[in-house]
């Protein structure tokens, strides 16, 4: 930090200014601000959607926040800024700061900005603001730079000095040896006025660095003589260009003055401390219990709130007592002896047994300091409460006893399913040494047929919640142990799953329990007309492997014909069309099986529609390319938000657009989303700029209301896809209908309730912080809508069209650009060159899939195959591969996830790209696998065009 006393061309408003040459996280301690800055850096320059996301984040702040360009024009400001200035957001953004701020503050801001642009340094300054708080504020401004270190934007925010002090209090717990975080300018010196310790406030005020001044003489550092100031009296001293009220308090040791505390209070701030003593300040702001007592008679002289809370007394009651009242009778003699002699400063002794007001024992450690308190030789005591720690240890001992002596098998895993802890029962039942279990994948203990189910149901589940699964564990002697697994996820402070607790009950114990409770064992025969979700899911998985191989070789044979005749061309086209149909059918069949396999669960959250547009567009890109129908934007309200299940809402809207793309005769499908009335909103499609064609309207009505078989025959949409879309839309929407304007059909789509309405037979998720719990702000927003929007449907639509920004041409252009990028294909020569330098290992347990991969990827420099991770290990050790392709379901004890994690730990493979492969993909699979550690993820068949795209990305 460098300290500047003033800026020459600005008078009256600047109090203090500092220039920071270091990283911003060294002078910004607020984690929320640092997170916002990171989001801004990643999003700059802003797209329309990016701008909306940034504004949503900064509008939640209760202080002014802004972003300017190098020409001093505002790019984005938050609501607090606009309300303080008294001008609407759209009239501020794009304006020069001289047109927004009052004259004196504008001059100051211009000077600061000119310095930031020319130097690329951050600036922290205090000023008197008429605009924001009518009081002294601290302003922080820092640049965003491009690769050439040119400033492209300036981020800024301000806080009142009082708020800054409160924030410092919250960020730093203050103890007797940690007064550096006090919101006051405080210095501890020895007898020779050499600095022992300082507060951060002091360093900030005088622009000093702690490591550079500790041990130095304070008089020389501040260029003043503080020795002339009387102890325990207030004096005014001028330092540089500012005047400070200075107070010194004596520190005694061995009946001698060992040093002093010196406090500085800036006169211009016109703030007074609550007491003249530095010990009052320390006690007031400390979170540790503290008290002062007279050495002569042990009477209490001062006590803080934390000590009163610990012992249960009021302040008057405590000050009428002496130190002996806190001790048990048998400890008083030891107390008197220790209290009459001096002790080492900042050192804790004990433990001691104290007695609270209710008679209970409090176990503590004590640190004592000899001081002069208002002329009385006293001890300043800081207390460390050990009772909670002792209670926690007792509780842990109880849990440990239960953990080790229960008949159940108890296992703790990390979030990926690797064992971190297990009780002795696990080793006993499985005949495996406890040390060998640690860091072992839990899935390696499970029988082969259930590993995939457990992996997707527990460790990589869509909805993380407690679950019960019946399976078999493998013992060391190759015998199987039937068990029931009860899995519970554990969350960290960010509400992310960090580990799992598995309670495993053997089937023998289950039967004994049933017999002792005299409960009859019922054998339930499944109804013949009910579809079993488990059966469907497993069946489709088994069918997909040979189907993928057939599709892959069909494409290979078609491409091998160099000069096909007309009949061959027609056959190739038919194969290609049916390939797309089969893959689409299987994808939807699997998703539908997953839907009916479990009870339907809804997780309502408040969703802002513009935040999900990119995801929806990405979902429909495959159909858009295959049908040659572009995705475009109609009327979209930038402020539309409603409560629903985010993931399921994205799925059914994607279905709506895909259906429209499949059946329209036009070249574009327009998506619209806006509020319809006080309690509802519309998400709809059309295929003409201002309306919907009669062909599309008829088709959409047929798809959502007609017979499944007729729809399949007429429009080529699978029954599974139709049934999946209908079932999900019935759960989330109130109806599907034609949207009219002036009695003419203009769109077709869903009517969503603004607030999700419970349906019979639906489970509302109880997952932490993703439930129906809505914070007060969201509740108020919903209630505000209900109260204020009492107008007719048609007038409301007109009002929304008039008031809300509409995402049309800009986003439509972006969509077209994205589509052009998707359709771009690498030249053949470049592809061959890309592949010819790559040594690849493909771990795949299906021989047919290996052959297909070898044929498709024949341009690779070298390909090695392994059917399991165990068989891949010798290959990995004998040579180095540039790329590894890993099937998720493998032979042996390790699945693809286990193998990937193990390979990443091997020498020379930490940075080697590993691509996950599986027979089918469910929503969210790609993100989950990449989060687990894979570099990318593709579904079978592994065709050349897919791998080209992925290799370009990861290499």
């Amino acid at each position: 930090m460098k300290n500047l006393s003033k800026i020459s061309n600005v008078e009256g408003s600047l109090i203090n200014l500092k220039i920071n040459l270091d990283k911003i996280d060294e002078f910004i301690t607020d984690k929320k601000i640092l997170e916002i800055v990171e989001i801004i850096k990643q999003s700059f320059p802003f797209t329309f959607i990016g701008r909306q996301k940034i504004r949503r984040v900064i509008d939640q702040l209760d202080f002014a926040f802004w972003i300017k360009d190098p020409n001093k024009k505002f790019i984005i400001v938050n609501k607090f800024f606009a309300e303080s200035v008294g001008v609407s957001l759209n009239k501020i953004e794009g304006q020069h700061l001289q047109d927004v701020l009052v004259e004196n503050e504008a001059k100051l801001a211009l000077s600061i900005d000119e310095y930031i642009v020319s130097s690329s340094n951050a600036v922290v300054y205090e000023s008197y603001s008429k605009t924001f708080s009518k009081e002294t504020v601290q302003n922080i401004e820092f640049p965003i730079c491009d690769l050439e270190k040119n400033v492209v934007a300036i981020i800024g925010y301000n806080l009142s000095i009082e708020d800054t002090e409160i924030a410092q209090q919250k960020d730093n717990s203050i103890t007797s040896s940690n007064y550096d975080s006090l919101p006051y300018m405080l210095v501890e010196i020895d007898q020779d006025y050499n600095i022992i310790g300082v507060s951060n406030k002091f360093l900030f005020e005088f622009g000093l660095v702690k490591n550079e001044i500790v041990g130095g003489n304070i008089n020389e550092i501040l260029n003043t003589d503080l020795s002339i100031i009387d102890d325990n009296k207030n004096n005014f001293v001028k330092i540089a260009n500012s005047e400070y009220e200075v107070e010194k308090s004596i520190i005694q040791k061995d009946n001698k003055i060992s040093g002093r505390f010196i406090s500085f209070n800036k006169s211009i701030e016109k703030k007074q401390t609550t007491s003249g003593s530095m010990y009052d300040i320390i006690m007031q702001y400390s979170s540790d219990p503290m008290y002062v007592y007279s050495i002569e008679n042990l009477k209490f002289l001062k006590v803080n709130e934390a000590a009163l809370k610990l012992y249960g007394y009021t302040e008057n009651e405590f000050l009428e007592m002496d130190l002996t009242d806190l001790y048990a009778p048998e400890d008083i003699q030891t107390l008197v002896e220790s209290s009459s002699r001096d002790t080492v400063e900042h050192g804790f002794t004990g433990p001691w047994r104290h007695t609270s007001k209710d008679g209970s024992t409090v176990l503590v450690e004590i640190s004592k300091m000899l001081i002069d308190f208002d002329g009385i030789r006293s001890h300043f005591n800081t207390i460390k409460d050990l009772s909670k720690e002792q209670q926690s240890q007792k509780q842990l001992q109880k849990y440990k006893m239960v953990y080790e002596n229960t008949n159940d098998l108890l296992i703790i895993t990390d979030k990926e399913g690797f064992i971190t802890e297990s009780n002795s029962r696990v080793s006993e039942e499985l005949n495996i040494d406890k040390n060998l279990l640690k860091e072992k994948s839990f899935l390696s203990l499970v029988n082969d047929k259930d590993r995939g189910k457990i992996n997707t149901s527990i460790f990589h589940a869509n909805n993380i919640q407690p679950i019960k699964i019946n399976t078999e564990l493998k013992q060391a002697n190759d015998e199987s142990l039937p068990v029931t697994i009860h899995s519970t996820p554990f969350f960290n402070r960010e509400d992310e799953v960090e580990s799992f607790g598995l309670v495993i009950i053997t089937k023998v114990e289950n039967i004994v329990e049933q017999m002792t409770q005299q409960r009859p064992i019922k054998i339930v025969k499944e109804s013949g007309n009910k579809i079993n979700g488990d059966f469907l899911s497993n069946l489709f998985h088994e069918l997909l492997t040979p189907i993928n191989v057939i599709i892959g070789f069909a494409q290979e044979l078609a491409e091998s014909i160099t000069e096909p005749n007309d009949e061959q061309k027609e056959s190739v086209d038919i194969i290609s069309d049916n390939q797309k149909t089969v893959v689409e059918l299987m994808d939807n069949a699997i998703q539908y099986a997953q839907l009916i396999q479990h009870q339907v669960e809804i997780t309502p959250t408040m969703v802002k529609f513009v935040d999900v547009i990119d995801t929806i567009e990405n979902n429909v890109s495959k159909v858009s390319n295959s049908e040659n129908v572009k995705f475009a934007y109609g009327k979209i309200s930038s402020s539309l938000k409603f409560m629903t299940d985010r993931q399921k809402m994205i799925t059914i809207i994607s279905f709506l657009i895909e259906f429209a793309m499949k059946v329209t005769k036009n070249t574009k499908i327009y998506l619209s989303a806006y509020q319809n009335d006080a309690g509802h909103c519309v998400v709809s499609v059309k295929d003409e700029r201002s309306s919907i064609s009669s062909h599309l309207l008829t088709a959409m009505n047929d798809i959502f209301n007609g017979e499944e078989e007729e729809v399949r025959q007429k429009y080529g949409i699978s029954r599974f896809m139709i049934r999946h879309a209908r079932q999900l839309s019935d759960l989330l929407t109130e109806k599907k209908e034609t949207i009219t304007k002036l009695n003419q059909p203009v769109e077709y789509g869903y009517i969503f309730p603004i607030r999700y309405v419970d349906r019979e037979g639906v489970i509302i998720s109880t997952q932490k912080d993703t439930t129906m719990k809505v914070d007060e702000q969201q509740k108020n927003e919903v209630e505000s809508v209900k109260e204020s929007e009492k107008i007719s449907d048609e007038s409301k639509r007109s009002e929304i069209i008039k008031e809300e920004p509409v995402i049309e041409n800009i986003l439509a252009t972006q969509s077209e650009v994205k589509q052009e990028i998707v359709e771009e294909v690498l030249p053949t020569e470049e592809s061959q060159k890309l592949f010819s330098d790559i040594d690849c290992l493909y771990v795949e347990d299906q021989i047919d899939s290996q052959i297909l991969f070898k044929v498709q990827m024949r341009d690779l420099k070298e390909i090695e195959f392994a059917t399991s991770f165990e068989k891949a290990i010798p290959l990995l050790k004998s040579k180095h591969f540039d790329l590894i392709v890993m099937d998720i379901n493998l032979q042996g004890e390790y699945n693809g996830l286990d193998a990937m994690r193990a390979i990443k730990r091997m020498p020379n493979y930490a940075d080697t790209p590993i691509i996950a492969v599986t027979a089918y993909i469910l929503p969210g699979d790609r993100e989950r696998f990449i989060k687990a550690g894979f570099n990318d993820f593709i579904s079978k068949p592994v065709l050349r065009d897919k791998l080209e795209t992925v290799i370009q990305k990861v290499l």
Side-chain angles (χ1 to χ4, degrees):
M1 288 276 203
K2 291 184 178 179
N3 189 26
L4 275 66
S5 58
K6 65 179 182 178
I7 293 179
S8 59
N9 64 336
V10 181
E11 296 179 356
S13 61
L14 180 67
I15 294 175
N16 194 23
L17 179 144
K18 296 174 179 63
I19 298 169
N20 188 281
L21 306 174
D22 307 317
K23 298 178 181 179
I24 63 169
D25 57 8
E26 294 186 9
F27 66 94
I28 299 177
T29 57
D30 190 328
K31 291 183 180 179
K32 188 172 184 180
I33 293 294
L34 292 173
E35 289 173 0
I36 292 174
V37 171
E38 193 59 34
I39 294 172
I40 292 171
K41 286 182 177 180
Q42 293 175 1
S43 305
F44 193 86
F46 306 127
T47 62
F48 182 89
I49 299 297
R51 181 186 292 267
Q52 298 300 320
K53 291 179 180 179
I54 295 297
R55 180 175 285 116
R56 183 188 66 180
V57 173
I58 64 177
D59 279 347
Q60 297 175 6
L61 301 175
D62 57 0
F63 50 85
F65 190 98
W66 60 86
I67 305 175
K68 292 178 284 190
D69 65 19
N71 298 318
K72 293 82 173 178
K73 291 183 179 180
F74 289 104
I75 300 173
I76 296 180
V77 300
N78 67 348
K79 286 182 181 178
F80 188 97
F81 184 104
E83 290 169 359
S84 300
V85 175
V87 182
S88 63
L89 285 170
N90 57 0
K91 291 184 179 179
I92 295 176
E93 294 174 352
Q95 298 298 310
H96 195 280
L97 64 84
Q98 284 184 313
D99 300 324
V100 177
L101 303 178
V102 297
E103 182 179 359
N104 207 36
E105 294 180 31
K107 287 182 179 179
L108 175 59
L110 278 171
S111 300
I112 300 294
D113 289 353
E114 286 172 4
Y115 174 79
I116 293 174
V117 172
S118 63
S119 67
S120 302
N121 286 335
V123 173
V124 181
Y125 61 98
E126 295 176 9
S127 64
Y128 180 79
S129 174
K130 295 179 180 178
T131 302
F132 295 106
S133 58
K134 306 294 189 295
E135 64 181 6
T136 303
V137 297
Q138 184 184 87
N139 303 272
I140 298 94
E141 289 199 307
F142 44 92
I144 298 179
C145 299
D146 59 19
L147 295 176
E148 284 76 37
K149 301 290 181 70
N150 297 317
V151 175
V152 294
I154 299 172
I155 300 173
Y157 67 95
N158 66 29
L159 295 169
S160 71
I161 296 299
E162 182 178 352
D163 288 341
T164 305
E165 293 170 355
I166 292 172
Q168 289 175 348
Q169 286 175 246
K170 290 181 178 178
D171 288 339
N172 301 283
S173 58
I174 303 165
T175 67
S176 60
S177 60
N178 189 27
Y179 53 80
D180 59 337
S181 59
L182 287 168
Y184 293 93
M185 291 175 276
L186 186 66
V187 183
E188 182 184 354
I189 60 171
D190 62 17
Q191 275 287 67
D192 298 321
Y193 283 77
N194 295 322
I195 296 174
I196 298 173
V198 295
S199 69
N200 292 335
K201 181 74 173 178
F202 174 86
L203 296 173
F204 185 86
E205 175 66 23
F206 295 103
L208 302 170
V209 178
K210 185 175 181 178
N211 294 338
E212 294 177 359
I213 66 168
V214 170
N217 189 281
I218 190 170
N219 293 328
E220 295 176 2
I221 291 169
L222 298 181
N223 194 24
T224 188
D225 187 1
L226 299 177
S227 62
I228 62 175
I229 298 173
D230 294 335
D231 293 330
N232 301 318
K233 289 186 179 180
N234 293 357
N235 293 269
F236 290 90
V237 176
K238 191 168 185 179
I239 301 174
N241 296 321
S242 300
E243 190 175 56
Y244 298 87
E245 185 180 8
V246 179
E247 178 190 352
K248 295 195 299 186
S249 298
I250 294 172
I251 303 173
Q252 290 186 337
K253 182 178 181 181
D254 297 330
N255 297 323
K256 296 180 182 179
I257 297 175
S258 61
R260 289 171 174 81
F261 282 124
I262 304 179
S263 70
F264 299 81
N265 193 24
K266 201 169 187 179
S267 301
I268 194 168
E269 294 178 354
K270 297 180 181 179
K271 293 184 180 179
Q272 298 295 329
T273 61
T274 57
S275 170
S277 170
M278 283 304 96
Y279 305 109
D280 288 335
I281 296 171
I282 294 172
M283 293 174 74
Q284 178 183 354
Y285 288 97
S286 176
S287 59
D288 289 332
M290 295 178 175
Y291 53 74
V292 179
Y293 66 87
S294 166
I295 293 177
E296 181 180 356
N297 57 19
L298 304 185
K299 288 286 291 184
F300 290 119
L301 304 176
K302 191 73 178 176
V303 63
N304 71 350
E305 191 65 32
L308 295 175
K309 185 176 180 181
L310 174 64
Y311 295 110
Y313 294 99
T314 65
E315 184 174 11
N316 289 336
E317 289 173 337
F318 200 90
L319 295 179
E320 290 176 359
M321 298 160 49
D322 62 43
L323 190 61
T324 62
D325 293 319
L326 296 183
Y327 284 79
E330 59 270 23
D331 293 335
I332 291 179
Q333 184 59 39
T334 305
L335 159 70
V336 172
E337 292 174 359
S338 65
S339 298
S340 62
R341 62 176 184 264
D342 300 334
T343 54
V344 179
E345 296 175 36
H346 308 314
F348 281 90
T349 62
W352 301 89
R353 291 178 298 170
H354 281 187
T355 304
S356 63
K357 183 179 179 179
D358 62 8
S360 59
T361 298
V362 181
L363 198 66
V364 300
E365 287 184 346
I366 300 174
S367 173
K368 288 190 290 190
M369 181 188 297
L370 183 66
I371 66 170
D372 184 302
F373 189 85
D374 293 336
I376 302 173
R377 189 163 168 269
S378 307
H379 272 157
F380 181 92
N381 277 23
T382 300
I383 308 301
K384 184 187 292 184
D385 181 11
L386 302 181
S387 300
K388 292 181 180 178
E389 181 181 336
Q390 185 184 45
Q391 195 65 30
S392 298
Q393 289 176 349
K394 289 181 180 178
Q395 197 71 17
L396 285 173
Q397 288 174 358
K398 293 178 183 177
Y399 288 142
K400 187 176 181 180
M401 180 191 69
V402 174
Y403 185 78
E404 287 299 340
N405 292 285
T406 181
N407 285 327
D408 297 332
L409 284 64
L410 304 181
I411 291 177
I412 305 296
T413 75
D414 64 13
K415 63 181 180 180
E416 300 299 337
F418 283 78
I419 298 171
T420 57
E421 294 289 342
S422 63
N423 67 352
S424 56
R425 284 286 293 154
V426 179
S427 299
E428 293 169 6
E429 285 288 347
L430 302 183
N431 298 319
I432 301 175
D433 184 88
K434 189 173 183 178
N435 294 326
L436 296 178
L437 284 170
K438 202 163 187 179
E439 294 299 319
K440 190 179 184 69
S441 169
F442 175 72
L443 292 177
S444 67
L445 305 178
V446 180
N447 66 34
D448 294 341
K449 68 182 181 67
D450 289 339
R451 284 166 58 182
K453 178 176 70 173
I454 290 175
N455 193 35
T456 55
S457 301
I458 297 178
F459 304 117
H460 295 92
N462 283 322
N463 295 311
I464 303 297
Q465 60 181 346
I467 191 170
K468 182 173 79 172
I469 296 179
N470 294 322
T471 185
E472 293 178 348
L473 298 185
K474 293 186 290 188
Q475 297 172 308
N477 58 4
D478 292 330
E479 294 291 327
S480 294
L481 178 67
V483 297
T484 299
I485 301 174
H486 296 262
S487 167
T488 300
F490 300 142
F491 299 88
N492 59 21
R493 289 186 177 182
E494 286 73 37
D495 295 326
E496 298 171 338
V497 174
E498 67 175 8
S499 57
F500 291 89
L502 307 178
V503 179
I504 304 170
I505 303 172
T506 61
K507 286 296 181 68
V508 175
E509 292 169 6
N510 289 340
I511 295 171
V512 171
E513 181 182 350
Q514 290 173 341
M515 292 175 64
T516 55
Q517 294 179 356
Q518 295 183 349
R519 291 179 179 174
I521 301 174
K522 295 182 179 179
I523 300 175
V524 180
K525 187 175 181 181
E526 190 167 34
S527 173
N529 60 359
K530 183 178 179 181
I531 301 176
N532 182 275
D534 267 330
F535 171 75
L536 281 179
S537 183
N538 292 328
L539 173 63
F540 295 144
H541 191 191
E542 291 176 13
L543 288 174
L544 267 176
T545 297
I547 287 175
N548 282 327
V549 172
I550 292 169
I551 289 172
F553 276 109
Q555 179 172 319
E556 177 65 24
L557 290 172
E559 292 177 354
S560 66
I561 304 173
T562 54
E563 296 182 3
N565 56 35
D566 291 342
E567 290 183 356
Q568 289 172 331
K569 287 180 181 178
E570 184 179 1
S571 299
V572 169
D573 290 340
I574 292 172
I575 291 172
S576 179
D577 290 341
N578 279 276
Q579 171 189 326
K580 295 173 186 176
T581 302
V582 169
V583 172
E584 183 182 86
L585 173 64
M586 299 306 290
D587 283 347
N588 281 281
I590 291 166
Q591 291 181 37
Y592 180 71
Q594 292 288 325
L595 183 65
I596 66 172
Q597 187 175 350
H598 309 287
Q599 287 180 294
V600 178
E601 181 180 295
I602 298 295
T603 307
T605 56
M606 190 63 75
V607 179
K608 192 166 186 180
F609 193 78
V610 293
D611 292 342
V612 301
I613 290 178
D614 288 344
T615 303
I616 293 171
E617 184 173 357
N618 184 62
N619 285 354
V620 303
S621 61
K622 181 179 177 182
V623 176
S624 175
N625 291 333
S626 64
E627 300 294 338
N628 199 24
V629 177
K630 290 186 177 180
F631 175 70
Y633 295 87
K635 178 177 63 176
I636 296 181
S637 167
S638 63
S639 63
L640 175 63
K641 53 185 172 182
F642 52 97
M643 187 184 296
T644 188
D645 186 299
R646 180 189 179 95
Q647 185 56 53
K648 291 182 175 61
M649 179 267 288
I650 291 172
T651 299
I652 62 171
I653 293 175
S654 301
F655 276 141
L656 182 71
I657 298 168
E658 289 177 354
F659 292 160
M661 287 178 169
K662 286 175 178 291
V663 301
T664 185
K665 294 181 178 179
N666 294 340
T667 58
K668 284 186 179 181
I669 290 296
Y670 298 89
L671 174 67
S672 296
Y674 52 87
Q675 192 160 341
N676 187 37
D677 56 36
H680 303 85
C681 61
V682 171
V683 179
S684 56
V685 292
K686 56 187 177 182
D687 56 351
E688 295 176 356
R689 194 67 189 84
S690 57
S691 63
I692 187 170
S693 67
S694 58
H695 174 79
L696 178 59
L697 181 61
T698 301
M700 297 304 285
N701 272 305
D702 288 346
I703 290 169
F704 282 102
N705 302 300
E707 291 292 330
E708 292 177 4
E709 179 59 23
E710 292 180 5
V711 173
R712 187 190 69 80
Q713 291 181 0
K714 191 173 182 180
Y715 302 110
I717 300 173
S718 73
R719 292 190 187 91
F720 281 116
M721 195 172 187
I722 297 167
R723 191 173 295 183
H724 193 186
R726 289 179 180 180
Q727 184 168 352
L728 279 182
S729 61
D730 287 343
L731 289 174
L732 298 186
T733 70
E734 290 202 355
K735 50 187 172 181
K736 305 169 283 290
E737 66 176 16
T738 303
I739 313 300
T740 61
K741 185 176 182 180
L742 301 178
N743 296 323
Q744 295 296 318
V746 291
E747 297 164 331
Y748 185 90
Y750 304 121
I751 307 296
F752 284 91
I754 293 295
R755 187 181 181 92
Y756 176 76
V757 179
D758 294 356
R759 306 295 203 273
E760 185 178 353
V762 174
I763 298 174
I764 303 300
S765 173
T766 57
Q767 185 177 339
K768 192 172 183 181
D769 287 343
T770 58
T771 65
M772 286 290 289
K773 296 178 182 177
V774 184
D775 61 30
E776 290 302 320
Q777 180 181 353
Q778 292 172 336
K779 289 181 180 177
N780 292 338
E781 288 171 350
V782 174
E783 294 302 323
S784 174
V785 169
K786 291 182 178 179
E787 291 297 324
S788 61
E789 308 294 346
K790 295 181 179 178
I791 53 179
S792 68
D793 291 358
E794 290 298 330
S795 62
K796 179 61 185 176
R797 292 191 186 111
S798 301
E799 186 175 312
I800 291 170
I801 294 169
K802 181 179 178 181
E803 290 184 356
E804 297 290 356
V806 177
I807 308 173
E808 293 178 349
N809 296 332
I810 295 175
L811 291 179
T813 303
Q814 292 177 354
S815 177
E816 291 169 8
V817 171
K818 287 181 181 178
Q819 188 157 343
E820 290 171 4
I821 294 172
V822 169
E823 293 170 353
E824 185 179 342
V825 179
L826 284 173
T828 303
E829 291 183 6
E830 186 177 342
S831 302
Q832 291 173 345
K833 184 178 180 181
L834 175 68
F835 284 6
S836 63
D837 296 330
I838 296 174
D839 287 333
C840 176
L841 172 64
Y842 186 19
V843 187
E844 162 66 62
D845 62 353
Q846 296 292 326
I847 302 301
D848 290 343
S849 295
Q850 290 183 9
I851 296 171
L852 173 62
F853 185 86
K854 187 172 184 177
V855 171
Q856 284 278 308
M857 311 312 299
R858 53 184 170 271
D859 292 330
L860 289 172
K861 181 179 179 182
E862 186 176 353
I863 306 174
E864 294 281 359
F865 295 98
T867 57
S868 67
F869 175 59
E870 291 87 342
K871 293 181 179 179
I873 292 175
L875 295 171
L876 290 164
K877 290 181 176 180
S878 64
K879 63 181 300 182
H880 184 270
F881 294 97
D882 305 304
L883 175 71
I884 298 172
V885 181
M886 180 76 65
D887 189 30
I888 297 302
N889 295 298
L890 298 173
Q891 296 177 9
E893 290 192 359
Y894 295 85
N895 66 12
L897 282 166
D898 304 337
M900 176 274 296
R901 187 165 179 174
I903 292 171
K904 290 287 187 181
R905 296 175 181 173
M906 294 177 68
N908 303 321
Y909 281 102
D911 299 322
T912 301
I914 304 179
I915 301 169
V917 173
T918 190
Y920 62 89
I921 180 170
L922 295 174
D925 274 354
R926 183 178 183 277
E927 291 74 17
R928 283 196 297 276
F929 281 112
I930 290 177
K931 188 175 181 181
F934 286 102
N935 295 83
D936 213 318
F937 173 65
I938 55 178
S939 59
K940 292 182 181 179
V942 184
L943 301 178
R944 184 185 183 86
D945 57 345
K946 289 183 183 179
L947 203 57
E948 280 181 3
T949 304
V950 171
I951 289 176
Q952 267 199 317
K953 185 188 302 182
V954 301
L955 294 179

